Amino acid sequence: MITVSVYKTKEEISGFIVEGHSGYAEEGMDIVCASVSILSYTVLNSINLVAGIEPEDISYEVDENIGLMSVRTLKNNDKTDVIYRSFVVGIELLLEDYSQYITLKFEEV
């Protein structure tokens, strides 16, 4: 099971952590893991390339072997908010068909 935890304050989302493997299919054929991975990597890259957040203001960790990606931004702007909210929409869309393989929770920070 993949667990997605989204970190938020009352005003904004400041990051997320994705943990685990879905178990939907064997490695290399798992469309659920691939979908969550592409959403996560798109956020990580878009925070810098689209939102203009400098690399030193992005804290992240990736360990594909254990199925971990953690992303936190130390500075945010209107674009980071849209990027994070788009990530949540993507995860919610996956939940519509694959809820037995993914969980989504929000944590106040």
Side-chain angles (χ1 to χ4, degrees), residues 38-83:
I38 195 64
L39 286 169
S40 302
Y41 276 104
T42 298
V43 169
L44 179 58
N45 288 289
S46 294
I47 287 170
N48 174 248
L49 299 173
V50 176
I53 303 297
E54 295 298 326
E56 59 268 14
D57 292 320
I58 305 169
S59 173
Y60 71 95
E61 178 183 356
V62 176
D63 187 329
E64 292 179 6
N65 291 325
I66 63 170
L68 171 80
M69 178 183 271
S70 174
V71 176
R72 298 288 288 263
T73 43
L74 307 175
K75 294 182 179 177
N76 292 303
N77 59 35
D78 290 345
K79 290 180 182 177
T80 58
D81 190 57
V82 171
I83 292 165

Side-chain angles (χ1 to χ4, degrees), residues 10-29:
K10 288 184 179 12
E11 296 83 35
E12 64 187 11
I13 297 173
S14 62
F16 64 88
I17 185 167
V18 173
E19 300 174 282
H21 295 285
S22 74
Y24 177 79
E26 65 184 70
E27 186 177 338
M29 302 299 290

